[in-house]
Amino acid sequence: MARQKYYVVWKGREPGIYTTWDECSAQVNGFPGAQYKAFDRLNEARAAFEAGRDAWKQGRLRFDLPPEVIADSVSVDAACDGSPGRLEYRGVYTATGEELFRVGPLPLGTNNLGEFLAIVHALAWLKQQGRGDLPVYSDSRTARQWVRQKRVRSRLPRTEETEPVWSLVDRALEWLAQNEVTNPLLDWDTERWGEIRADFGRK
């Protein structure tokens, strides 16, 4: 059975909270500058809608996390419009949802490459902050495996259009070769916890 979603529409034909994607899409599809996001819990959707999109994006909302989740951590995710397609990825502070970094959109990539880049970006960012102890959550088993193996297994051809993402992959692999990873790489259990905090809300 599909998990219930709550869709917040901050900017659309009729802003509000909707319980189906069909209802949400009717408000945002074709609407210039539409702003919306899916949430797994009604209390989160209500808090985000009432506070406004800017407060949500800036991490000024604190949501309840499942007790198993380490709040003092970084969560990462990627979004790809198609496979392959336009790609972006980001990392957020898990406790608040505050966005720590965001890259893209890149012209053409795959979700697995985006997830891989997001993890490595988080690891490099945390090292700069002197936080080699902070866990990094990802819902991509493939990306975590690539990071541990320090190699990627993507069939995406290297072309002029895919060069931007491959250049980032080259840099990420070089960073992994030159740095020891001390941050725990943890699996975000979507089935039990809902969408990862860095989710782009486009499902």
Side-chain angles (χ1 to χ4, degrees), residues 32-46:
Q35 298 175 349
Y36 60 97
K37 187 184 188 307
F39 291 86
D40 292 295
R41 298 172 181 83
L42 182 58
N43 67 317
E44 294 184 4
R46 285 174 174 164

Side-chain angles (χ1 to χ4, degrees), residues 97-175:
E98 176 188 2
E99 190 169 85
L100 304 175
F101 61 84
R102 185 175 188 143
V103 176
L106 303 170
L108 198 65
T110 67
N111 197 68
N112 281 338
L113 288 176
E115 300 271 10
F116 167 78
L117 290 170
I119 295 174
V120 180
H121 194 132
L123 293 172
W125 185 86
L126 287 168
K127 184 165 187 176
Q128 289 179 341
Q129 306 301 312
R131 294 304 309 269
D133 59 323
L134 218 64
V136 175
Y137 280 104
S138 167
D139 60 11
S140 172
R141 179 181 300 177
T142 297
R144 293 195 307 275
Q145 184 178 44
W146 286 356
V147 170
R148 293 189 178 104
Q149 294 176 347
K150 300 185 178 184
R151 63 183 299 184
V152 300
R153 296 176 179 272
S154 175
R155 296 182 179 178
L156 183 71
R158 193 157 192 160
T159 66
E160 182 177 350
E161 197 172 13
T162 63
E163 185 59 30
V165 71
W166 277 116
S167 293
L168 290 176
V169 170
D170 289 344
R171 289 172 54 190
L173 291 171
E174 182 179 357
W175 188 92

